[in-house]
Structure formats: structure tokens, C-alpha cells
Amino acid sequence: MLVLGIESSCDETGVAVYDTARGLLAHALHSQVDLHQCYGGVVPELASRDHIRRIVPLYREVLARAGVAASAIDAIGYTAGPGLAGALLVGTAFAEALALALGRPACPIHHLEGHLLSPLLADPAPRFPFVALLVSGGHSQIMSVTGVGRYTLLGETVDDAAGEAFDKTAKLLGLPYPGGPQLARLAQSGRPGRVRLPRPMLHSGDLDFSFSGLKTAVLTQVGRGLDGTAAADLAAEFQEAVVDVLVAKACAALKQTRLRELVVAGGVGANQRLRERLDAACARMGARAYYPPLELCTDNGAMIAFACALRMQAGQQIEARSEGFRVFPRWPLGELAPPG
Ligand code: KG4
Ligand code: ZN
């Protein structure tokens, strides 16, 4: 079965072709980083317009690279939410129109389900059941995953998402958008512990997180002035604080569920320090951490094509319920049927 995947929920247009027999055949991505950089964040209207410009050329490029004809596509998976409404509508309209033209099904896919299942594209791949640590720009959640479509929320952020905290802190440190990777780079030349930042909710006894206080603590430090290596030291300490909390909660989730496999997904999963610390912590517990291929950590079409393929194989396609099509800017992963 050949599945086309379309992602347009935020500032990346992603298109991919996944074959259930041969694996990922091709994927292409257009990042809007340059477009939004001067605004310090994503401007939704500009994002939507750019998706419109990019989506058809990307689709053509991916089919050519995969060496498949449009008529060979068996199904089209597209991100229907959560995300920016206008941006989601571009991918949704394209996918639904193409599906109509080809006489094939179009399947709405939950963006976080795409992230969550993407480590299964890696080699070696984890096996169900596993604990998933989902850390993106919009979400920070720990889930217990027992199979395709079987996701139980164990804990989540009570305020900012981990990626959001990275981005906001990077801005406070004067780094350009997108801040997460920039802050991680700056942290490499700094020393954690020179300034001490809090580890919010580290001992809360549950699997929830909070990151907004950390950002405020950074703001206080920035107010005192940053000279010499202070910015790099602060970046290193911030990263260490986030990583401390994420590692502790991920390990607590493994203990609580008695599972031995941890899957890490979402943009913050690209963070090298997080990976090192999770690998070490898992090894100490006789557990193992799995990550998507680095290029598939942040938003992409491959994870959407893949999630769609797994859902179809499991006979669990999500039906677009209404006439025409709709998007779901807010869509809890625990409620996988789209809101009626
Ligand atoms: O999953 P993603 O591409 O988009 C959402 O669904 O939100 O995640 C993007 C987030 C951004 O907040 C970005 O700053 C963060 O992931 N990110 C990182 C790194 N690479 C991306 N954060 C920390 N370290 C990184 N290396
Ligand atoms: Zn994402």
C-alpha cells in the first residue's frame, strides 16, 4: 500500500510517500524559518500563504523522487490538527481535493500521533507497548502506548511546552527564531551550575511538568546583565534544568508502567543533551530509549504518511465526519475521533 502524507500544521510544509512493503520512498520539506525570522515567531497568515505556494511543487518533487505515479497512491494522510487553522486548511484542502480526483480515501491524522509513531521508522524500532515522551513546540506529554490508536496520557505540562520554553528563553537571551536549536548550540560553550535555576515540579510526585517558571527565572538573571560567558552559562543551565525534569519524569513513567522501552518524539527530541542523559538513565534501569531519525524529529510529511499507513493496516482510519472537510486546531490526542 502506497500512502501519501501531507503536513502543514505550522511552519513546515512536508510531503512524503510511504510504502508499507518498501518503507519510506521519499520525503520533502520546506521550512519557513527565513520567512518568520524577522518577526521572532510564526506569523499564521504568512505561514498559510507559504504553504499554498509550496505544497504542489513539493508533491510533484516527492512523486518524482519516489518514482511513482499519482495513480499508484492508495491513500492520502494529512494533518487535520492540532495546529494553526489556516495552515491546516491548506494541507487539508490539498489532500481532500487530490483524494477526490484520484478516487482514493483521504485520512485525517493527528499531528502528535505522527510524532508519537515516528520512532517506529528508525532501525532498530521499538515495539509496543512503550512509554512515549512527546516534547514539541506545542506539547509536552508522557503517554503509555499499547498499540496503534491506544494512547493513555500519564502526564503533561501544566503551562508552557518544553520547546516553547526553549524558544522563549532563547528570545530572552537575544537568540534568533527558532530558538530551541540556537539555545542548544550556545549551551555547548557554557557551563551549567554557575547560575542555579529551579527544576520545576521535579518532586511533585506525578508525571506533570511546568516550564514557565524556568523562563521567568531566566528573565530575572537576564535583568542582572549578561557579560562574558554568562549567556552561554545560563543557556547551559536552562537546558540542564529542562533535561533534568524530562529525564526524571520519563524514568518515573517507566517505573510506574513497568515498561522497558521509551520512545522520544517531537522537536525537542532532537536535543543532543536530552538524548545523552536519557540513554544513560535508561541504561541504568535496564531500559532503552528510541528516537526518530534526526531529520524526522521536527515536523515532516513522513510521520503523517507512516501514521496513516499504520492506521489503515490496523483498520482504524479516522473518518472525516462532516460534509466537505474540517480542521481541528485543538484536538486532544486522547480523543482520536475528531470532535463531531
Ligand atoms: O515538533 P516540532 O517540529 O513542532 C511542533 O509540533 O511543535 O517542534 C519544534 C520545537 C521548537 O520549539 C524548537 O525550538 C524545538 O522543537 N527544538 C529544539 C531542538 N530542535 C528543535 N529544542 C531544543 N533543542 C533542539 N536541538
Ligand atoms: Zn510537531
Side-chain angles (χ1 to χ4, degrees), residues 7 9-12 111-112 115 135-139 162-167 178-185 239 265-272 297-300 303:
E7 157 64 33
S9 66
C10 189
D11 57 350
E12 259 123 15
H111 179 81
L112 292 184
H115 276 304
V135 273
S136 72
H139 297 84
E164 186 180 2
F166 263 91
D167 294 339
Q182 300 266 356
L183 191 148
R185 210 165 301 133
Q239 176 173 265
V268 183
N271 187 278
Q272 283 307 330
C297 264
T298 47
D299 293 348
N300 63 84
M303 67 183 193

Side-chain angles (χ1 to χ4, degrees), residues 26-67:
H27 81 102
L29 193 72
H30 180 265
S31 165
Q32 302 178 355
V33 164
D34 294 347
L35 182 68
H36 301 293
Q37 197 144 43
C38 62
Y39 303 100
V42 179
V43 182
E45 175 64 22
L46 296 183
S48 314
R49 293 185 207 177
D50 199 59
H51 286 306
I52 291 175
R53 274 194 293 271
R54 307 290 175 179
I55 200 158
V56 174
L58 276 178
Y59 159 71
R60 292 202 173 120
E61 181 190 330
V62 159
L63 286 197
R65 282 188 6 213

Side-chain angles (χ1 to χ4, degrees), residues 196-211 240-250 252 277:
R196 189 74 187 153
L197 293 175
R199 269 60 177 163
M201 295 183 73
L202 186 62
H203 302 295
S204 59
D206 56 24
L207 298 175
D208 289 337
F209 320 97
S210 163
F211 294 113
E240 210 59 22
V242 172
V243 167
D244 276 348
V245 177
L246 292 178
V247 170
K249 301 278 171 161
R277 295 274 314 275

Side-chain angles (χ1 to χ4, degrees), residues 71-85:
S71 56
I73 295 170
D74 295 302
I76 303 167
Y78 65 89
T79 304
L84 301 171

